[in-house]
Amino acid sequence: MKIGLFIPCYVDVVYPQVGVATYKLLKHLGLDVDYPLNQTCCGQPMANAGFEQKAVPLAEKFEDKFKGFDYIVAPSVSCTAFVKLNYPRLLKGRHECTTSSKIMDVVEFLHDVVKVNQPLGKFPHKVSLHNSCHGVRELGLSSPSEENVPKFNKIKDLLQLVEGIEVVEPERPDECCGFGGMFSVEETAISAQMGKDKVERHIQTGAEYVTGPDCSCLMHMAGVAKKQGLKMEFMHAVEIMAAGL
C-alpha cells in the first residue's frame, strides 16, 4: 500500500509541525509513505472565491503528482473534501479523475483503512474536541446532530488511544466556528461572533487544549482567543496522536 502525503499550502506555511507530525505518525505505524516534491495548493481558495477555472490547472497538477499512489492522505478535512467532491467536475471532459477516490483525511484513513487500535502517543491533558464542518458533513468523521443516526466520532476514537488524555466535547459539538474561508472575509462580524461563541463553549468544558482535524478552524478560534486574552491552546489532532512517539 503506497501512500502519498499531501500537505496543504496553509499547513505547509503556517503549521508545518502538523505535516511533520502526520508523516511521523504514519511511519510509526509502519506505513509506506512518500512526500511528492513540488506540491501546490489544491485550488480550493480560488474555487471558493468564484474562480473555478483558475483551480483547474492545479487540479491537473495534483492528478499528475499523486496518480501513482494507492491512497492520498492529508491533515486537512477541507482540502480533502474539495479534492474528493469537486475534482471530478473540474476535470470532466479533460481526463479521468483518479485522485478523488483515493484521497482521505488522515483521521478517516487511520480509522477506516488502517483501523488503528494500538496505543499512540502520550498527552496527559484535558482536551476539548472541535468537529469541523467539512469533516462532519462531507467526510463523515462524526455524526451530524441534524440527522437521526447513532452518535459516532472517529476523531474521538483515535484520540482515546493516546495515553493520559481526557477528551471532552462542548455544548453543540458540531456547530460551525465561523471560519469558512471566504465567509470570514466577507462576513467578518458574523464570523467573529460565531468564533467567540464557539471558543466560549470550549472554555466551559474546562479543557486545557482544543483539538480538531483542520488547522483553519483551529487558527480562527486561536485568533479569537488571543484577541480576548484567553488562556487556551490549540493543536491539530495528529499532533496529539504523535506526541511523545
Side-chain angles (χ1 to χ4, degrees):
M1 179 170 63
K2 290 183 62 179
I3 300 164
L5 179 59
F6 171 49
I7 302 300
C9 47
Y10 75 100
V11 176
D12 179 50
V13 174
V14 185
Y15 299 101
Q17 71 274 16
V18 174
V20 172
T22 304
Y23 181 81
K24 181 179 177 180
L25 182 59
L26 293 172
K27 293 296 286 185
H28 173 77
L29 294 169
L31 299 169
D32 181 10
V33 188
D34 185 28
Y35 176 75
L37 298 178
N38 300 316
Q39 297 183 27
T40 64
C41 173
C42 65
Q44 179 183 194
M46 298 78 158
N48 286 352
F51 301 98
E52 281 198 341
Q53 287 307 306
K54 292 185 180 296
V56 172
L58 297 176
E60 291 178 324
K61 184 169 185 177
F62 189 96
E63 281 277 311
D64 183 61
K65 283 287 176 186
F66 288 98
K67 62 186 177 184
F69 293 99
D70 299 309
Y71 289 96
I72 306 160
V73 176
S76 168
V77 293
S78 58
C79 297
T80 298
F82 180 74
V83 173
K84 184 184 290 289
L85 300 177
N86 292 281
Y87 269 24
R89 179 173 52 79
L90 291 176
L91 295 172
K92 187 176 182 180
R94 296 173 183 269
H95 56 73
E96 180 187 2
C97 179
T98 62
T99 55
S100 65
S101 61
K102 296 179 181 180
I103 193 165
M104 300 183 80
D105 173 75
V106 62
V107 170
E108 180 186 20
F109 178 72
L110 293 177
H111 188 280
D112 295 354
V113 177
V114 181
K115 301 184 187 300
V116 178
N117 57 15
Q118 67 193 68
L120 296 174
K122 296 180 181 179
F123 199 75
H125 301 282
K126 188 174 185 180
V127 176
S128 185
L129 178 54
H130 180 73
N131 300 293
S132 296
C133 297
H134 287 91
V136 177
R137 295 174 179 87
E138 294 187 333
L139 299 183
L141 298 190
S142 59
S143 50
S145 56
E146 67 271 14
E147 293 186 11
N148 186 25
V149 297
K151 189 174 181 180
F152 67 89
N153 194 308
K154 298 175 184 179
I155 318 162
K156 188 175 183 178
D157 290 345
L158 291 175
L159 287 173
Q160 288 177 330
L161 297 173
V162 175
E163 182 180 335
I165 197 170
E166 180 185 355
V167 183
V168 294
E169 291 186 78
E171 181 189 10
R172 301 182 182 180
D174 61 349
E175 184 177 68
C176 180
C177 69
F179 175 63
M182 288 301 297
F183 175 74
S184 63
V185 175
E186 297 179 345
E187 300 290 349
T188 306
I190 299 173
S191 173
Q193 187 60 54
M194 291 173 72
K196 290 176 184 177
D197 292 345
K198 194 68 184 184
V199 168
E200 177 59 31
R201 291 193 177 96
H202 281 301
I203 288 174
Q204 288 171 357
T205 67
E208 304 163 73
Y209 291 83
V210 176
T211 192
D214 207 317
C215 290
S216 57
C217 299
L218 297 173
M219 176 178 65
H220 178 63
M221 291 185 289
V224 169
K226 184 177 180 179
K227 285 183 177 180
Q228 293 184 298
L230 302 173
K231 301 296 183 182
M232 180 166 271
E233 299 293 327
F234 295 80
M235 290 180 68
H236 193 285
V238 168
E239 291 182 89
I240 292 176
M241 287 183 247
L245 293 180

